[in-house]
Amino acid sequence: MSRLTLSVMQSCSSALCVLILLTTTFTTAFESLVPSVKVKLHDSATLPCPERCSGLARWTVFHKRSDTLAECDQTSCRSVKEGYQMIHDQYLKGNLSLIITDADFSKRGWYTSDCDGKDVCDVQLQIQPLRTSVQIKSSTSLVLDLNIPEEVEVIYDSTGAAGPAGGQICTVDGRSLQCKPEYKQRVSAALQLRGLTPSDSGVYIVMDKKNKEVLHIYTVTVGSARGSE
């Protein structure tokens, strides 16, 4: 079982965890073949590549092979794009690792290192899910940060028997918003859930729909209008 699934299980019910596990199964085979590095948002990340190269070594994003991020040869190393670097001393010792100085959600994905055009390393960069606890009064609004411009889905898990059924409640793709009927009139394009009641307490998970990667976990407690829990 992946570390991603385990981290989500700490904050959701067994039914919701099964849903997340099933939606991520199709990527498991590929991801198991590619080493991954997971860091906190805005931390630096080092993508390992313990290979020797006597010629030109470079790193690219897996789906944009012509777009070099950083490169080294016997003379020096160059950061072709800001925020990516290789160390020449390490290159000479057989270490082609790539350093990403500020790992944000836009830098998630698969990276490839090649030596004179021959692929030598593939590494996936992941960002640890953000975790936010929210205590809020009834009749107010809950705003969820979607973190990325690509399509996301919001999954809800009630913490009480009186709460609505868990599962996906919305998908957001740019400016397009699709929600269950019971949520449609309460949600805006900024993903602001209006008119909260105590039954809305629970865990809200923002997930990258394409990559089935958890981005943000909100644990929400809604008290009564007079402030009691």
Side-chain angles (χ1 to χ4, degrees):
M1 188 175 296
S2 68
R3 293 178 59 193
L4 176 61
T5 304
L6 288 173
S7 66
V8 173
M9 283 187 174
Q10 296 171 0
S11 299
C12 64
S13 70
S14 58
L16 182 59
C17 290
V18 170
L19 172 63
I20 295 173
L21 178 60
L22 290 175
T23 58
T24 56
T25 299
F26 81 102
T27 62
T28 301
F30 177 75
E31 291 181 354
S32 64
L33 300 176
V34 179
S36 64
V37 173
K38 181 178 287 189
V39 298
K40 294 180 179 179
L41 183 65
H42 297 307
D43 276 1
S44 64
T46 299
L47 308 189
C49 185
E51 297 287 343
R52 288 193 173 274
C53 179
S54 59
L56 178 65
R58 67 185 192 118
W59 280 90
T60 61
V61 178
F62 182 79
H63 63 278
K64 296 178 68 175
R65 301 303 303 275
S66 61
D67 194 1
T68 302
L69 304 174
E71 61 185 17
C72 281
D73 57 25
Q74 291 292 322
T75 303
S76 63
C77 290
R78 293 162 293 281
S79 296
V80 182
K81 280 201 168 183
E82 185 178 359
Y84 301 90
Q85 63 181 18
M86 298 173 69
I87 307 299
H88 193 249
D89 183 57
Q90 293 182 357
Y91 161 86
L92 295 175
K93 295 178 180 178
N95 182 351
L96 307 182
S97 296
L98 175 70
I99 299 173
I100 301 175
T101 56
D102 182 3
D104 59 30
F105 286 110
S106 69
K107 295 182 175 71
R108 296 172 304 130
W110 287 269
Y111 293 78
T112 296
S113 175
D114 66 68
C115 175
D116 288 334
K118 180 181 179 181
D119 292 353
V120 290
C121 292
D122 292 311
V123 184
Q124 181 188 16
L125 175 64
Q126 297 178 318
I127 304 296
Q128 293 180 12
L130 300 176
R131 296 177 181 272
T132 302
S133 295
V134 179
Q135 292 187 336
I136 196 167
K137 293 181 179 180
S138 292
S139 302
T140 56
S141 299
L142 173 67
V143 178
L144 302 180
D145 187 354
L146 303 181
N147 300 110
I148 62 173
E150 293 80 20
E151 186 174 13
V152 302
E153 57 185 339
V154 178
I155 299 171
Y156 169 69
D157 178 33
S158 173
T159 56
Q168 184 192 88
I169 60 174
C170 292
T171 60
V172 184
D173 185 4
R175 295 181 179 270
S176 176
L177 180 67
Q178 302 294 329
C179 296
K180 284 185 174 181
E182 62 266 35
Y183 288 92
K184 192 170 185 179
Q185 299 302 317
R186 301 170 58 197
V187 175
S188 68
L191 214 61
Q192 180 184 61
L193 180 60
R194 298 182 292 270
L196 292 177
T197 68
S199 65
D200 290 313
S201 297
V203 177
Y204 294 77
I205 297 176
V206 180
M207 177 179 286
D208 179 340
K209 188 172 184 180
K210 178 181 178 181
N211 298 308
K212 298 303 177 184
E213 183 177 347
V214 174
L215 305 174
H216 207 141
I217 301 172
Y218 290 87
T219 302
V220 179
T221 302
V222 183
S224 68
R226 62 179 180 276
S228 63
E229 297 293 329

